[in-house]
Amino acid sequence: MAIKYTPEPFRIKMVETIKMLSSEERVARIKEAKYNLFSLRSDDVYIDLLTDSGTNAMSQDQWAGVMIGDEAYAGGRSYFRVLEAGQDIFGYKFIQPVHQGRAAEKVIYSLLLEKGKYSISNMHFDTTRAHVELAGGRAIDCNIKEAEDPKIRIPFKGNMDNKKLEALINEHGAKNIGVVITTITNNSAGGQPVSIANIKETSEICKKHGIKLCIDAARFAENAYFIKHREEGYANKSIKEIIREVFSYADYFTLSAKKDAIINMGGLVGVKDDAEFFQLCKGNTISYEGFITYGGLSGRDLEALAIGLNEGVNEDFLKYRIGQVEYLASLLDDAGIIYQSPAGGHGVFIDARSMFPHIPYNEFPAQALAIELYKEAGIRTCDIGSYMLGNDPDTGEQLKSTFEFTRFAIPRRVYTQAHFDIMAEALIAIKKRAGQVKGYKILWEPPVLRHFQAHLQPL
């Protein structure tokens, strides 16, 4: 039975008109886009769940901040506002703004990795894996086994497999591990949270072997909310207190602020206390992003970022945010649709493999479901499966993903209960005709991050 929808802790002050194309128009549009959801015009999309990154609705305080952003090239006051907010929330001495999360990865991983080095993570997301490989390194996923079964419900399904981590360090040699990355929440595993106990244990292993620990912090506030409500001993802690403890166990963090900081553009690099390493990060920022006090952002973006960092850790907002995802998941439970359970923080990850057992991994079942959702109801989602994973960088062979998920990434403060009902209705309709759905083949792909640009054809 569907749970009660969590009411919005805000009033709507401005609206953006959207429209639903006819079924015939949607079929034509996805064909014109060569069956790549990223190639659709946003005007042709009714409900856009492609990503929760940069697609959020900013608050009146953030929009007011936009008007007072300091556009100075160097030393702008909005830069110092970001530093103060970042230092207060994360407890790190050094904070560097950049234009988005993958910029943070480019700045930091090029310093930690090179040919012959490995990055080990509870799961690398696509851009993280790409920057590991661009730096010359190789990415190894180290997720717990339970994460690989969507039906298993445990509170911290995003955890690192720390026994496997120890074995990998011993196998490859500590000197060859450039970095260990803990992603919170674990996006590729379905937006699943990571416990403080697990992060602390990972940290102890890294310290023992002299390896640096970096947190991929895109959804740090959602992860803290799960810790508060699921991990023993944290029910009476504030969200900010939990965040401070989590980050105390790491050396660095990268942050796409386009998620939990509820802004449209921005990111951060955090360095706990290593002044020498931070100086190298600043050098990379100047090369890749511009001067250090704007980091590829306008002053108005910096001002909105400083405000959004604090809004994103508000517990009333997080209750509503997680509640939306749980509501959608409960509708799918009633319909017998399998997803990565329990529902994650930023979205629902549908198990396309169970929906289309007749479509093999190299015909991309999760991409097939994403295309069907657009044709069915104008909903744009994305593949988190073999299509996104791509090819082995050494052999060129198609990799088989642990999961074949179609991700419903929910933008913050954007959609209402009626939209969530439409999402569920579309999935139910597709399930009824699942046996008729075919897979896809790739006609053209770029060498890196192919899913953003590849051309496909239905089989």
Side-chain angles (χ1 to χ4, degrees):
M1 183 176 175
I3 65 172
K4 185 178 178 182
Y5 184 85
T6 305
E8 288 79 1
F10 54 82
R11 293 181 298 204
I12 295 170
K13 205 167 187 175
M14 184 178 73
V15 297
E16 177 184 356
T17 301
I18 56 176
K19 64 178 182 178
M20 175 88 81
L21 299 182
S22 70
S23 178
E24 294 77 15
E25 287 174 316
R26 296 196 300 273
V27 168
R29 295 293 191 277
I30 193 64
K31 183 177 181 181
E32 290 166 6
K34 298 181 173 61
Y35 300 97
N36 188 323
L37 283 300
F38 287 91
S39 296
L40 288 170
R41 289 176 176 264
S42 65
D43 287 344
D44 295 335
V45 175
Y46 181 58
I47 300 175
D48 203 342
L49 310 177
L50 188 67
T51 180
D52 63 316
S53 179
T55 56
N56 309 295
M58 294 205 304
S59 69
Q60 63 179 5
D61 292 329
Q62 287 177 295
W63 282 113
V66 164
M67 302 305 295
I68 61 170
D70 184 353
E71 303 300 343
Y73 185 93
R77 63 179 172 274
S78 299
Y79 161 74
F80 291 104
R81 293 254 293 126
V82 169
L83 294 195
E84 289 166 8
Q87 289 164 345
D88 175 56
I89 290 169
F90 301 107
Y92 276 32
K93 185 174 181 181
F94 303 113
I95 302 289
Q96 175 59 59
V98 290
H99 84 273
Q100 63 180 57
R102 71 194 61 173
E105 291 171 342
K106 185 176 182 181
V107 164
I108 199 166
Y109 294 140
S110 61
L111 298 172
L112 296 170
L113 294 161
E114 60 188 9
K115 189 172 182 179
K117 297 268 187 174
Y118 295 90
S119 166
I120 304 174
S121 176
N122 54 341
M123 286 197 90
H124 295 83
F125 196 57
D126 59 346
T127 59
T128 315
R129 184 178 297 275
H131 281 293
V132 167
E133 292 173 0
L134 286 168
R138 289 294 176 262
I140 304 174
D141 289 336
C142 194
N143 51 281
I144 58 172
K145 202 69 179 172
E146 293 89 336
E148 297 175 14
D149 186 344
K151 295 179 182 178
I152 292 176
R153 292 176 180 258
I154 59 173
F156 293 101
K157 214 171 180 179
N159 279 356
M160 183 88 74
D161 184 337
N162 282 319
K163 287 185 179 178
K164 184 178 176 183
L165 174 62
E166 280 270 22
L168 286 167
I169 293 170
N170 291 329
E171 177 186 349
H172 295 289
K175 68 180 188 303
N176 295 317
I177 310 301
V179 64
V180 171
I181 302 169
T182 290
T183 305
I184 57 172
T185 55
N186 190 332
N187 189 5
S188 294
Q192 295 295 313
V194 182
S195 71
I196 279 187
N198 184 258
I199 295 168
K200 184 178 180 181
E201 186 178 28
T202 302
S203 176
E204 289 168 352
I205 292 168
C206 288
K207 283 183 171 63
K208 181 174 74 173
H209 292 283
I211 299 168
K212 298 298 184 180
L213 176 60
C214 182
I215 292 177
D216 179 345
R219 298 171 182 90
F220 69 95
E222 291 172 10
N223 200 83
Y225 183 86
F226 282 121
I227 289 169
K228 182 177 176 69
H229 290 272
R230 294 184 182 177
E231 190 162 1
E232 188 177 352
Y234 290 91
N236 296 321
K237 298 278 189 180
S238 71
I239 295 296
K240 193 180 289 187
E241 285 174 326
I242 293 168
I243 292 167
R244 280 277 192 126
E245 181 175 348
V246 166
F247 283 80
S248 72
Y249 298 123
D251 300 288
Y252 319 124
F253 73 79
T254 59
L255 171 69
S256 171
K258 297 161 68 177
K259 283 89 167 173
D260 275 0
I262 328 180
I263 57 170
N264 304 130
M265 185 57 67
L268 296 175
V269 172
V271 177
K272 186 193 288 181
D273 54 18
D274 187 340
E276 185 177 347
F277 184 79
F278 186 62
Q279 190 62 46
L280 297 174
C281 291
K282 290 198 292 184
N284 272 359
T285 301
I286 293 171
S287 298
Y288 303 146
E289 296 287 286
F291 192 56
I292 55 174
T293 61
Y294 73 89
L297 294 167
S298 63
R300 52 189 174 271
D301 289 322
L302 290 166
E303 196 71 34
L305 169 54
I307 296 166
L309 281 167
N310 285 296
E311 289 185 354
V313 300
N314 178 277
E315 193 164 345
D316 288 338
F317 161 72
L318 288 168
K319 180 182 178 182
Y320 147 78
R321 166 72 174 159
I322 304 301
Q324 279 193 316
V325 178
E326 291 175 341
Y327 173 77
L328 175 58
S330 72
L331 296 177
L332 303 185
D333 286 334
D334 289 348
I337 293 171
I338 299 172
Y339 59 90
Q340 178 67 300
S341 59
H346 68 287
V348 177
F349 289 59
I350 310 302
D351 183 11
R353 183 184 290 137
S354 69
M355 179 85 75
F356 306 134
H358 57 286
I359 301 178
Y361 76 95
N362 56 355
E363 294 178 9
F364 314 125
Q367 179 70 4
L369 178 54
I371 292 165
E372 291 303 310
L373 282 159
Y374 178 72
K375 292 194 291 186
E376 178 68 33
I379 299 170
R380 177 160 63 171
T381 58
C382 79
D383 166 291
I384 306 289
S386 297
Y387 172 60
M388 184 192 78
L389 188 60
N391 301 316
D392 186 291
D394 298 314
T395 67
E397 294 294 315
Q398 171 65 51
L399 294 167
K400 183 177 181 180
S401 177
T402 303
F403 312 105
E404 298 294 345
F405 288 146
T406 303
R407 183 182 71 176
F408 283 51
I410 311 300
R412 294 156 184 82
R413 304 189 291 210
V414 172
Y415 291 115
T416 67
Q417 181 177 359
H419 292 114
F420 285 88
D421 291 339
I422 290 170
M423 297 172 204
E425 289 163 9
L427 279 166
I428 292 167
I430 294 166
K431 184 185 177 187
K432 290 177 180 177
R433 55 178 173 81
Q436 303 166 31
V437 176
K438 305 299 183 186
Y440 287 79
K441 69 176 181 179
I442 294 175
L443 298 180
W444 172 84
E445 60 183 292
V448 179
L449 294 171
R450 72 176 183 196
H451 60 292
F452 289 127
Q453 301 183 71
H455 301 168
L456 298 98
Q457 178 178 296
L459 292 164

